[in-house]
Amino acid sequence: IYIPQANMLLEIDPTYTHNVIGNHWRLHGIHKYYHLKKTLVAKKHGYRCIHLWDWDIISHFIAMLSVKHRIYDGIVTENICFSEAAQFIQQYGLYDVTQNIPNIAFIGIRYKTKLMAIMGFRQVDFITNAWELVCIENRFNYIVHNSGQLLLDEFIRQYNPSRIISYADFSKTNGESLEALGFKYKKFIPPNKIWSKGRHAIIDGPQIIPEAMMAERWLPVYNCGYKLYEKRIQFSPYEIPKIKLRS
């Protein structure tokens, strides 16, 4: 599907026809780099290719393309409890990260008591106080001016991280929003095997037994990979500055 106003190509990738096992039309399934290659070809010709999987909420993606009403003032940035954030993600997110990632710290923006946007973070290294930015979600039809920077600044003020990493899902984004927040590109992570069943998805790992998963009608699908970004925070007490001594 071509969306000219956004110079975007939208590809619907049903698990049944886009897995690597096969189906009654294709005995051997598709190659694990199939989706990545399509994304790269689109990018080469100046298009942004968005892949929508069975575990994505397609109606939410369509709503994300709607005209935005901008809000410039009258906002409050604050901590958001897990239950309220989870409900917000279910209403406005493409995929519910709270199902697979526990202990997420959420920062949100309110406008006249209404929650407008959230960022979610999880700690990945307790010794150095390093964190991962795991989600950014906005209310449909609205955009708070400079919301990403406001949320990130509030998180840094409260949690004082030494660094923050984030994985840009290459099936949805090229990482522009992270770069706008001062994140630096580190490396590309190859496509992951995702076990899919209906609206549910599980990332493959050593604990997964393929035969058992397929017996329960789960099918393996490879996504487009991830772009790893990192933002190092200046003046963090966890980073000792190097002092050059005079001889």
Side-chain angles (χ1 to χ4, degrees):
I1 301 173
Y2 175 49
I3 305 176
Q5 62 269 30
N7 204 35
M8 180 186 297
L9 301 174
L10 186 61
E11 176 169 305
I12 310 298
D13 295 326
T15 295
Y16 182 72
T17 53
H18 284 255
N19 67 78
V20 294
I21 298 298
N23 52 62
H24 73 280
W25 290 303
R26 185 191 294 266
L27 295 179
H28 303 293
I30 62 176
H31 192 273
K32 66 179 183 179
Y33 291 134
Y34 172 84
H35 300 112
L36 172 60
K37 288 180 178 179
K38 293 196 74 171
T39 303
L40 293 175
V41 168
K43 183 180 178 182
K44 180 180 178 181
H45 290 86
Y47 298 99
R48 179 182 172 191
C49 184
I50 303 295
H51 297 260
L52 293 178
W53 319 99
D54 281 2
W55 54 86
D56 289 326
I57 305 175
I58 296 179
S59 60
H60 285 193
F61 177 80
I62 295 172
M64 290 176 183
L65 298 177
S66 62
V67 177
K68 308 292 184 183
H69 302 286
R70 288 192 169 271
I71 298 173
Y72 293 93
D73 51 25
I75 62 173
V76 176
T77 307
E78 62 184 18
N79 290 314
I80 304 298
C81 70
F82 187 90
S83 59
E84 184 179 9
Q87 184 178 11
F88 188 86
I89 292 171
Q90 290 171 5
Q91 288 180 310
Y92 302 107
L94 272 182
Y95 178 67
D96 187 0
V97 297
T98 62
Q99 291 182 1
N100 298 320
I101 305 176
N103 303 320
I104 303 176
F106 289 101
I107 305 293
I109 290 178
R110 292 192 191 277
Y111 174 69
K112 295 181 179 179
T113 73
K114 186 179 292 186
L115 188 58
M116 306 302 295
I118 63 170
M119 269 188 182
F121 302 82
R122 72 180 182 107
Q123 196 170 31
V124 294
D125 191 324
F126 292 93
I127 297 177
T128 63
N129 197 30
W131 291 72
E132 178 189 351
L133 169 58
V134 297
C135 69
I136 307 173
E137 304 294 353
N138 293 278
R139 183 179 288 269
F140 301 151
N141 305 321
Y142 293 91
I143 185 70
V144 176
H145 178 67
N146 206 28
S147 61
Q149 195 64 60
L150 292 171
L151 290 166
L152 184 61
D153 288 348
E154 181 64 18
F155 171 78
I156 293 173
R157 185 187 71 81
Q158 289 194 36
Y159 290 86
N160 196 26
S162 63
R163 65 189 182 97
I164 305 171
I165 63 170
S166 191
Y167 295 88
D169 182 353
F170 201 45
S171 72
K172 302 291 190 300
T173 176
N174 196 36
E176 300 94 336
S177 59
L178 290 173
E179 292 172 5
L181 294 173
F183 283 77
K184 303 299 183 183
Y185 172 72
K186 302 298 290 184
K187 65 178 181 179
F188 184 75
I189 310 297
N192 267 354
K193 180 190 289 186
I194 310 293
W195 289 93
S196 171
K197 181 180 179 181
R199 285 282 310 283
H200 302 284
I202 301 174
I203 297 176
D204 190 52
Q207 77 283 4
I208 298 292
I209 303 174
E211 293 78 10
M213 295 295 285
M214 288 187 286
E216 294 296 326
R217 298 183 182 276
W218 292 82
L219 292 172
V221 177
Y222 278 84
N223 62 13
C224 299
Y226 303 89
K227 296 178 72 175
L228 174 61
Y229 283 84
E230 180 186 58
K231 181 180 179 70
R232 290 191 172 270
I233 313 303
Q234 294 181 344
F235 309 118
S236 170
Y238 294 92
E239 290 190 352
I240 302 174
K242 295 180 180 179
I243 302 175
K244 186 176 182 181
L245 298 177
R246 293 182 179 179
S247 57

